[in-house]
Coordinates of all heavy atoms in Angstrom, one line a residue:
M487 N 6.8 -17.5 11.8 CA 6.2 -16.9 10.6 C 7.2 -16.6 9.5 O 8.1 -15.8 9.8 CB 5.3 -15.7 11.0 CG 4.5 -15.2 9.8 SD 3.2 -14.0 10.3 CE 4.1 -12.8 11.3
N488 N 7.0 -17.1 8.4 CA 7.9 -16.9 7.3 C 7.4 -15.7 6.4 O 6.6 -16.0 5.5 CB 8.1 -18.1 6.4 CG 9.1 -17.9 5.3 OD1 9.9 -17.0 5.3 ND2 9.0 -18.7 4.3
F489 N 7.7 -14.5 6.8 CA 7.1 -13.4 6.1 C 8.1 -12.3 5.9 O 8.9 -12.0 6.8 CB 5.9 -12.9 7.0 CG 5.1 -11.8 6.3 CD1 4.2 -12.2 5.3 CD2 5.3 -10.5 6.6 CE1 3.5 -11.2 4.7 CE2 4.6 -9.5 6.0 CZ 3.7 -9.9 5.0
K490 N 8.0 -11.7 4.7 CA 9.0 -10.6 4.4 C 8.2 -9.4 4.1 O 7.0 -9.4 3.7 CB 9.8 -11.0 3.2 CG 10.8 -12.2 3.5 CD 11.5 -12.5 2.2 CE 12.5 -13.7 2.5 NZ 13.2 -14.1 1.2
D491 N 8.9 -8.2 4.2 CA 8.3 -7.0 3.7 C 8.1 -7.1 2.2 O 8.7 -7.9 1.5 CB 9.3 -5.8 4.0 CG 9.5 -5.6 5.5 OD1 8.8 -6.1 6.3 OD2 10.5 -4.8 5.8
K492 N 7.1 -6.3 1.8 CA 6.8 -6.4 0.4 C 6.8 -5.0 -0.3 O 6.4 -4.0 0.3 CB 5.3 -6.9 0.3 CG 4.9 -7.1 -1.2 CD 3.5 -7.6 -1.2 CE 3.1 -8.0 -2.6 NZ 1.6 -8.3 -2.8
E493 N 7.4 -4.9 -1.4 CA 7.5 -3.7 -2.2 C 6.2 -3.6 -3.0 O 5.8 -4.5 -3.7 CB 8.7 -3.6 -3.1 CG 10.0 -3.2 -2.3 CD 10.7 -2.1 -3.0 OE1 10.9 -2.2 -4.2 OE2 11.1 -1.1 -2.3
E494 N 5.6 -2.4 -3.0 CA 4.4 -2.2 -3.8 C 4.6 -0.9 -4.6 O 5.3 0.1 -4.1 CB 3.2 -2.0 -3.0 CG 2.6 -3.4 -2.4 CD 1.9 -4.2 -3.5 OE1 1.7 -3.6 -4.6 OE2 1.5 -5.3 -3.2
F495 N 4.0 -0.8 -5.7 CA 4.0 0.3 -6.6 C 2.7 1.1 -6.4 O 1.6 0.6 -6.5 CB 4.1 -0.1 -8.1 CG 4.2 1.0 -9.0 CD1 5.4 1.8 -9.1 CD2 3.2 1.3 -9.9 CE1 5.5 2.8 -10.0 CE2 3.3 2.3 -10.9 CZ 4.5 3.1 -10.9
I496 N 2.9 2.4 -6.1 CA 1.7 3.2 -5.9 C 1.6 4.4 -6.9 O 2.7 4.8 -7.4 CB 1.6 3.9 -4.5 CG1 2.7 4.9 -4.3 CG2 1.6 2.8 -3.4 CD1 2.5 5.8 -3.1
I497 N 0.4 4.8 -7.3 CA 0.2 5.9 -8.1 C -0.7 6.9 -7.3 O -1.8 6.5 -6.9 CB -0.5 5.6 -9.4 CG1 0.4 4.6 -10.2 CG2 -0.7 6.8 -10.2 CD1 -0.3 4.0 -11.4
C498 N -0.2 8.0 -7.0 CA -0.9 9.0 -6.2 C -2.1 9.6 -7.0 O -1.9 10.1 -8.1 CB 0.0 10.1 -5.7 SG -0.9 11.4 -4.7
P499 N -3.3 9.4 -6.4 CA -4.5 10.0 -7.2 C -4.6 11.5 -7.1 O -5.4 12.1 -7.9 CB -5.7 9.3 -6.4 CG -5.2 9.1 -5.1 CD -3.7 8.8 -5.2
Q500 N -3.8 12.1 -6.3 CA -3.9 13.5 -6.1 C -2.9 14.3 -7.0 O -3.3 15.3 -7.6 CB -3.6 13.9 -4.6 CG -4.0 15.3 -4.2 CD -4.2 15.4 -2.7 OE1 -5.2 14.9 -2.2 NE2 -3.2 16.0 -2.1
C501 N -1.7 13.8 -7.1 CA -0.7 14.5 -7.9 C -0.1 13.7 -9.0 O 0.6 14.2 -9.8 CB 0.5 15.0 -7.0 SG 1.5 13.7 -6.4
G502 N -0.4 12.4 -9.0 CA 0.0 11.5 -10.1 C 1.4 11.0 -10.0 O 1.9 10.3 -10.8
E503 N 2.0 11.2 -8.8 CA 3.4 10.7 -8.6 C 3.3 9.2 -8.5 O 2.4 8.6 -7.9 CB 3.9 11.3 -7.3 CG 5.3 10.9 -6.9 CD 6.4 11.5 -7.8 OE1 6.1 12.4 -8.6 OE2 7.5 11.0 -7.7
E504 N 4.4 8.6 -9.0 CA 4.5 7.1 -9.0 C 5.7 6.8 -8.1 O 6.7 7.4 -8.2 CB 4.7 6.5 -10.4 CG 3.6 6.9 -11.3 CD 3.9 6.4 -12.7 OE1 5.0 6.1 -13.0 OE2 2.9 6.5 -13.5
A505 N 5.5 5.8 -7.2 CA 6.6 5.6 -6.2 C 6.5 4.1 -5.7 O 5.4 3.5 -5.8 CB 6.5 6.5 -5.0
F506 N 7.6 3.6 -5.3 CA 7.7 2.3 -4.6 C 7.6 2.5 -3.1 O 8.3 3.4 -2.6 CB 8.9 1.5 -5.0 CG 8.8 0.8 -6.3 CD1 9.5 1.3 -7.5 CD2 8.1 -0.3 -6.4 CE1 9.3 0.7 -8.7 CE2 8.0 -1.0 -7.7 CZ 8.6 -0.5 -8.8
V507 N 6.8 1.7 -2.5 CA 6.8 1.8 -1.0 C 7.0 0.4 -0.5 O 6.7 -0.6 -1.1 CB 5.4 2.4 -0.5 CG1 5.2 3.8 -1.0 CG2 4.3 1.5 -1.0
T508 N 7.5 0.4 0.8 CA 7.7 -0.9 1.4 C 6.6 -1.1 2.5 O 6.4 -0.3 3.3 CB 9.1 -1.0 2.1 OG1 10.1 -0.7 1.1 CG2 9.3 -2.3 2.8
L509 N 5.9 -2.3 2.3 CA 4.9 -2.6 3.3 C 5.3 -3.6 4.3 O 6.1 -4.5 3.9 CB 3.6 -3.1 2.5 CG 3.0 -2.2 1.5 CD1 1.9 -3.0 0.8 CD2 2.5 -0.9 2.1
R510 N 4.9 -3.6 5.5 CA 5.1 -4.6 6.5 C 3.8 -5.2 6.9 O 2.7 -4.7 6.6 CB 5.7 -4.0 7.7 CG 7.1 -3.3 7.5 CD 7.5 -2.5 8.7 NE 8.8 -1.8 8.3 CZ 10.0 -2.3 8.5 NH1 10.1 -3.5 9.0 NH2 11.1 -1.6 8.2
Y511 N 3.9 -6.4 7.5 CA 2.7 -7.0 8.0 C 1.8 -6.1 8.9 O 2.3 -5.5 9.7 CB 3.0 -8.3 8.7 CG 1.9 -8.9 9.5 CD1 0.8 -9.4 8.8 CD2 1.8 -8.8 10.9 CE1 -0.3 -9.9 9.5 CE2 0.7 -9.3 11.6 CZ -0.3 -9.9 10.9 OH -1.4 -10.4 11.6
G512 N 0.5 -6.1 8.6 CA -0.4 -5.3 9.4 C -0.7 -4.0 8.6 O -0.7 -3.9 7.4
F513 N -1.1 -3.0 9.4 CA -1.5 -1.7 8.8 C -0.3 -0.8 8.5 O 0.5 -0.7 9.4 CB -2.5 -1.0 9.7 CG -3.9 -1.6 9.7 CD1 -4.3 -2.4 10.8 CD2 -4.8 -1.3 8.7 CE1 -5.6 -3.0 10.8 CE2 -6.0 -1.9 8.7 CZ -6.4 -2.7 9.7
N514 N -0.4 -0.3 7.3 CA 0.7 0.6 6.9 C 0.1 2.0 6.5 O -0.9 2.0 5.8 CB 1.4 0.1 5.7 CG 2.1 -1.2 5.9 OD1 3.3 -1.2 6.2 ND2 1.4 -2.3 5.9
K515 N 0.7 3.1 7.0 CA 0.4 4.4 6.5 C 1.4 4.7 5.4 O 2.6 4.8 5.6 CB 0.4 5.4 7.6 CG 0.1 6.8 7.1 CD 0.1 7.8 8.3 CE -0.2 9.2 7.9 NZ 1.0 9.8 7.3
V516 N 0.8 4.8 4.1 CA 1.7 5.0 3.0 C 1.6 6.5 2.5 O 0.5 6.9 2.2 CB 1.3 4.1 1.8 CG1 2.1 4.4 0.6 CG2 1.5 2.6 2.3
D517 N 2.7 7.2 2.6 CA 2.7 8.6 2.2 C 3.1 8.8 0.8 O 4.1 8.2 0.3 CB 3.6 9.4 3.1 CG 3.2 9.4 4.6 OD1 2.1 9.9 4.8 OD2 3.9 8.9 5.4
C518 N 2.4 9.7 0.1 CA 3.0 10.2 -1.2 C 4.2 11.0 -0.9 O 4.3 11.8 0.0 CB 1.9 11.0 -1.9 SG 2.6 11.8 -3.4
P519 N 5.3 10.7 -1.7 CA 6.6 11.4 -1.5 C 6.5 12.9 -1.9 O 7.4 13.7 -1.5 CB 7.6 10.7 -2.3 CG 6.8 10.0 -3.4 CD 5.5 9.7 -2.8
V520 N 5.5 13.3 -2.6 CA 5.4 14.6 -3.2 C 4.4 15.5 -2.5 O 4.7 16.6 -2.0 CB 5.2 14.6 -4.7 CG1 5.0 16.0 -5.2 CG2 6.3 13.9 -5.4
C521 N 3.2 15.0 -2.4 CA 2.1 15.8 -1.8 C 1.7 15.3 -0.4 O 2.3 14.4 0.1 CB 0.9 15.9 -2.8 SG 0.0 14.4 -2.9
E522 N 0.6 15.8 0.1 CA 0.2 15.4 1.4 C -0.7 14.2 1.4 O -1.2 13.8 2.5 CB -0.5 16.5 2.1 CG 0.4 17.7 2.4 CD -0.3 18.9 3.0 OE1 -1.5 18.9 3.0 OE2 0.4 19.7 3.5
Y523 N -1.0 13.6 0.3 CA -1.9 12.4 0.2 C -1.2 11.2 0.9 O -0.1 11.0 0.9 CB -2.1 12.0 -1.3 CG -3.0 10.8 -1.4 CD1 -4.4 11.0 -1.4 CD2 -2.4 9.6 -1.6 CE1 -5.2 9.8 -1.5 CE2 -3.2 8.5 -1.7 CZ -4.6 8.6 -1.7 OH -5.4 7.5 -1.8
F524 N -2.1 10.5 1.6 CA -1.6 9.2 2.2 C -2.8 8.2 2.1 O -4.0 8.6 2.0 CB -1.1 9.3 3.6 CG -2.2 9.6 4.6 CD1 -2.8 8.6 5.3 CD2 -2.5 11.0 4.9 CE1 -3.8 8.9 6.2 CE2 -3.4 11.3 5.8 CZ -4.1 10.3 6.5
L525 N -2.5 6.9 2.2 CA -3.5 5.9 2.3 C -3.1 4.9 3.3 O -1.9 4.7 3.6 CB -3.8 5.3 0.9 CG -2.8 4.3 0.3 CD1 -3.4 3.4 -0.7 CD2 -1.6 5.0 -0.4
I526 N -4.1 4.1 3.7 CA -3.9 3.0 4.7 C -3.9 1.7 3.9 O -4.9 1.5 3.2 CB -4.9 3.1 5.8 CG1 -4.9 4.4 6.5 CG2 -4.7 1.9 6.8 CD1 -3.6 4.7 7.2
V527 N -2.9 0.9 4.1 CA -2.8 -0.4 3.4 C -2.6 -1.4 4.4 O -1.8 -1.3 5.3 CB -1.7 -0.4 2.4 CG1 -1.6 -1.8 1.7 CG2 -1.8 0.7 1.4
Y528 N -3.4 -2.5 4.3 CA -3.2 -3.6 5.2 C -2.5 -4.8 4.4 O -2.9 -5.1 3.3 CB -4.6 -4.1 5.7 CG -4.4 -5.3 6.7 CD1 -4.0 -5.0 8.0 CD2 -4.6 -6.6 6.3 CE1 -3.9 -6.1 8.9 CE2 -4.5 -7.6 7.2 CZ -4.1 -7.4 8.5 OH -4.0 -8.4 9.3
L529 N -1.5 -5.3 5.0 CA -0.8 -6.4 4.4 C -1.0 -7.7 5.2 O -0.6 -7.7 6.4 CB 0.7 -6.1 4.3 CG 1.6 -7.1 3.4 CD1 1.1 -7.1 2.0 CD2 3.0 -6.8 3.5
D530 N -1.6 -8.7 4.6 CA -1.9 -9.9 5.4 C -0.7 -10.9 5.4 O 0.3 -10.6 4.8 CB -3.2 -10.5 5.0 CG -3.1 -11.1 3.6 OD1 -2.0 -11.4 3.1 OD2 -4.2 -11.4 3.0
T531 N -0.8 -12.0 6.1 CA 0.3 -12.9 6.3 C 0.6 -13.7 5.0 O 1.6 -14.3 4.9 CB 0.0 -13.9 7.4 OG1 -1.3 -14.5 7.2 CG2 0.0 -13.2 8.8
D532 N -0.3 -13.6 4.0 CA 0.0 -14.2 2.7 C 0.7 -13.3 1.8 O 1.0 -13.6 0.7 CB -1.3 -14.7 2.1 CG -1.9 -15.8 2.9 OD1 -1.2 -16.7 3.4 OD2 -3.1 -15.9 2.9
G533 N 1.0 -12.0 2.3 CA 1.6 -11.0 1.5 C 0.7 -10.3 0.5 O 1.1 -9.7 -0.4
K534 N -0.6 -10.4 0.8 CA -1.6 -9.7 0.0 C -1.9 -8.4 0.6 O -2.2 -8.3 1.8 CB -2.8 -10.6 -0.2 CG -3.9 -10.0 -1.1 CD -5.1 -10.8 -1.1 CE -5.0 -12.0 -2.0 NZ -6.3 -12.7 -2.2
A535 N -2.0 -7.4 -0.3 CA -2.2 -6.0 0.2 C -3.7 -5.7 0.0 O -4.3 -6.1 -1.0 CB -1.4 -5.0 -0.5
W536 N -4.3 -5.0 1.0 CA -5.7 -4.6 0.9 C -5.8 -3.1 1.2 O -5.1 -2.6 2.1 CB -6.5 -5.3 2.0 CG -6.5 -6.8 1.9 CD1 -5.5 -7.6 2.4 CD2 -7.4 -7.6 1.3 NE1 -5.8 -8.9 2.1 CE2 -7.0 -8.9 1.4 CE3 -8.6 -7.4 0.6 CZ2 -7.7 -10.0 0.9 CZ3 -9.3 -8.4 0.1 CH2 -8.9 -9.7 0.3
T537 N -6.6 -2.4 0.5 CA -6.9 -1.0 0.7 C -8.3 -0.6 0.3 O -8.9 -1.3 -0.5 CB -5.8 -0.1 0.0 OG1 -6.1 1.2 0.3 CG2 -5.9 -0.3 -1.5
R538 N -8.8 0.5 0.9 CA -10.1 1.0 0.5 C -10.0 1.9 -0.7 O -11.0 2.3 -1.3 CB -10.7 1.7 1.6 CG -11.1 0.8 2.8 CD -11.5 1.6 4.0 NE -11.9 0.7 5.1 CZ -13.1 0.2 5.3 NH1 -14.1 0.5 4.6 NH2 -13.3 -0.6 6.4
E539 N -8.7 2.3 -1.0 CA -8.5 3.3 -2.1 C -8.5 2.6 -3.4 O -7.8 1.7 -3.6 CB -7.2 4.1 -1.9 CG -7.1 4.8 -0.5 CD -8.1 5.9 -0.4 OE1 -8.4 6.5 -1.4 OE2 -8.6 6.2 0.7
L540 N -9.3 3.1 -4.4 CA -9.3 2.5 -5.7 C -8.2 3.0 -6.6 O -8.0 4.2 -6.7 CB -10.7 2.8 -6.4 CG -11.9 2.1 -5.8 CD1 -13.2 2.7 -6.3 CD2 -11.9 0.6 -6.1
G541 N -7.5 2.1 -7.2 CA -6.6 2.4 -8.2 C -5.2 3.0 -7.8 O -4.4 3.3 -8.6
V542 N -5.0 3.1 -6.5 CA -3.7 3.6 -6.0 C -2.7 2.6 -6.0 O -1.6 2.8 -6.5 CB -3.9 4.3 -4.6 CG1 -2.6 4.8 -4.1 CG2 -5.0 5.4 -4.6
L543 N -3.0 1.4 -5.4 CA -2.1 0.3 -5.3 C -2.5 -0.7 -6.3 O -3.6 -1.4 -6.2 CB -2.2 -0.2 -3.9 CG -1.0 -0.9 -3.3 CD1 0.1 0.0 -3.0 CD2 -1.5 -1.6 -2.0
E544 N -1.7 -0.9 -7.3 CA -2.2 -1.7 -8.5 C -2.5 -3.2 -8.1 O -3.4 -3.8 -8.7 CB -1.1 -1.7 -9.5 CG -1.1 -0.4 -10.3 CD -0.3 -0.5 -11.6 OE1 0.7 -1.3 -11.6 OE2 -0.7 0.1 -12.6
T545 N -1.7 -3.8 -7.2 CA -1.9 -5.2 -6.9 C -2.8 -5.4 -5.7 O -3.1 -6.6 -5.4 CB -0.5 -5.9 -6.6 OG1 0.0 -5.3 -5.4 CG2 0.5 -5.7 -7.7
A546 N -3.3 -4.4 -5.1 CA -4.2 -4.6 -3.9 C -5.6 -5.0 -4.3 O -6.1 -4.6 -5.4 CB -4.2 -3.3 -3.1
E547 N -6.2 -5.7 -3.4 CA -7.6 -5.9 -3.6 C -8.4 -5.0 -2.7 O -8.0 -4.6 -1.6 CB -7.9 -7.4 -3.2 CG -7.1 -8.3 -4.0 CD -7.8 -9.7 -4.1 OE1 -8.9 -9.9 -3.6 OE2 -7.2 -10.6 -4.7
N548 N -9.5 -4.5 -3.2 CA -10.3 -3.5 -2.5 C -11.3 -4.2 -1.6 O -12.1 -5.1 -2.1 CB -10.9 -2.5 -3.5 CG -9.9 -1.7 -4.1 OD1 -9.5 -2.0 -5.2 ND2 -9.4 -0.7 -3.5
Q549 N -11.4 -3.7 -0.4 CA -12.4 -4.3 0.6 C -13.8 -3.8 0.3 O -13.9 -2.7 -0.1 CB -12.0 -3.9 2.0 CG -10.7 -4.6 2.4 CD -10.3 -4.1 3.8 OE1 -10.3 -3.0 4.0 NE2 -9.8 -5.1 4.6
Ligands
ZN1218 ZN1 0.8 12.9 -4.3

C-alpha cells in the first residue's frame, strides 16, 4: 500500500484554536492543543478524511 500520513488543518469549534494535525490511515483521535475538545477523524486509503464534525476539518467530507 502506497500511503502516507496526511497533515490536516483544524479549527477548534470550542476555543477557536487553529492547529495542524497529522492523520494516519484509519481512525484518528484528534485533540485540540488548547482545550479538552477532540474529534474522531477517519482517513481512508485514498488520503481522504472523513468526520462527523461540521466545519472543524476544512478538507474533510461529512458522513
Ligand atoms: Zn479547543
